[in-house]
Amino acid sequence: MSGTEAQNIYIKANSKRNGIATLLVGLAGLTASAIWIASVPQWLVLAGIFLTSASIVAILVGWFKLREPDYSIELSPEAIRYCHRLGNWRIDWSNLQRFDCPRVRQGLDFNELDAIGFKLKDYAPFIQSVSPRLATHLLMEQRPLLLQNRDESCATGTCFGNEFLDDSRYVLENGEVLTGVRAMLANRMAQLRKQLGFDVFLSSVELDRAPGDFVQLLKDCEQSRPR
């Protein structure tokens, strides 16, 4: 990797693929269902209604795919940047302590999650790069991670407390006091570090390859960046 933008690496999420095709299939199905309903006997109208419903779903799926940015991740010599329709986050390579596929305990075995985890040196630069809307989305999206590697003595689930939505103040290393949704995000990151060893997570749906292959790409980028 070099310092020029032309040589940055752009990752297009698998979930972004086939957006136009899905939208066109939905529109074609909606047209066909309209013709069907208008031309068939009354006892066959129900099939047309089912086709209409399926077509509307396809149109919505295609529309949401097209709303997402053209790429989900940008790898530059300076940073890893995640792009979402609700905002972006950025992790500078200099602020990255380690990254890998998180592993969770299941009985006597350890299995890898279908995600990439990042452990930061300092929360402040990352928190400052996240918009409130994206922070809210991350809090909702990563809630299932809190159920991983929990205390097995917690049989009822009542010992989870308010960790799902911890809105207490958070003090960064630079002394800045966070409140509101950013404090909630920082508390969530701290809890996930305690349970899984990482602060920030990328789901495999945001990638264009298997998580293990993406980790290797990150290692190659990190080793080749200017020092």
Side-chain angles (χ1 to χ4, degrees):
M1 294 173 66
S2 76
T4 62
E5 184 174 354
Q7 292 178 313
N8 290 353
I9 298 176
Y10 298 92
I11 304 298
K12 186 173 184 179
N14 285 324
S15 60
K16 172 74 175 177
R17 300 184 186 277
N18 303 318
I20 294 178
T22 304
L23 184 62
L24 291 177
V25 168
L27 291 173
L30 194 61
T31 302
S33 65
I35 296 173
W36 177 278
I37 292 174
S39 59
V40 301
Q42 185 66 30
W43 61 278
L44 288 176
V45 169
L46 185 60
I49 294 175
F50 284 137
L51 179 58
T52 300
S53 300
S55 300
I56 292 174
V57 171
I59 291 172
L60 290 174
V61 170
W63 168 246
F64 282 118
K65 284 176 176 284
L66 293 176
R67 287 181 65 196
E68 294 295 334
D70 291 337
Y71 54 89
S72 59
I73 303 166
E74 176 188 356
L75 303 177
S76 71
E78 295 79 26
I80 302 167
R81 182 167 168 261
Y82 171 64
C83 304
H84 190 273
R85 62 184 175 84
L86 298 178
N88 309 293
W89 59 244
R90 173 188 172 111
I91 299 176
D92 294 334
W93 290 104
S94 59
N95 191 34
L96 187 56
Q97 184 169 333
R98 71 184 184 98
F99 53 85
D100 208 342
C101 296
R103 303 175 70 198
V104 296
R105 185 179 63 254
Q106 294 183 348
L108 299 178
D109 299 323
F110 284 88
N111 298 321
E112 289 186 351
L113 292 177
D114 206 21
I116 307 295
F118 301 91
K119 186 175 182 180
L120 310 182
K121 297 177 183 177
D122 183 6
Y123 281 7
F126 175 82
I127 293 291
Q128 291 165 0
S129 73
V130 181
S131 69
R133 293 180 66 198
L134 180 58
T136 302
H137 172 77
L138 294 176
L139 286 167
M140 300 301 297
E141 181 183 59
Q142 298 182 350
R143 284 182 66 176
L145 293 174
L146 289 175
L147 301 177
Q148 306 293 336
N149 282 354
R150 296 307 304 239
D151 185 357
E152 294 181 358
S153 65
C154 181
T156 64
T158 56
C159 57
F160 287 3
N162 294 322
E163 294 171 0
F164 282 114
L165 209 61
D166 188 351
D167 60 352
S168 58
R169 297 192 310 165
Y170 190 93
V171 182
L172 297 172
E173 292 185 0
N174 61 9
E176 180 183 355
V177 179
L178 300 178
T179 58
V181 68
R182 285 183 170 166
M184 293 165 62
L185 180 59
N187 283 312
R188 171 68 58 79
M189 291 166 62
Q191 182 63 26
L192 289 174
R193 174 183 287 199
K194 179 181 177 182
Q195 292 180 208
L196 299 173
F198 298 96
D199 306 301
V200 182
F201 294 81
L202 265 178
S203 171
S204 62
V205 300
E206 305 289 354
L207 310 177
D208 62 352
R209 65 199 73 192
D213 295 335
F214 191 75
V215 168
Q216 185 58 53
L217 173 63
L218 291 176
K219 291 179 180 178
D220 294 340
C221 293
E222 185 179 38
Q223 291 172 1
S224 62
R225 59 183 290 266
R227 301 295 178 179

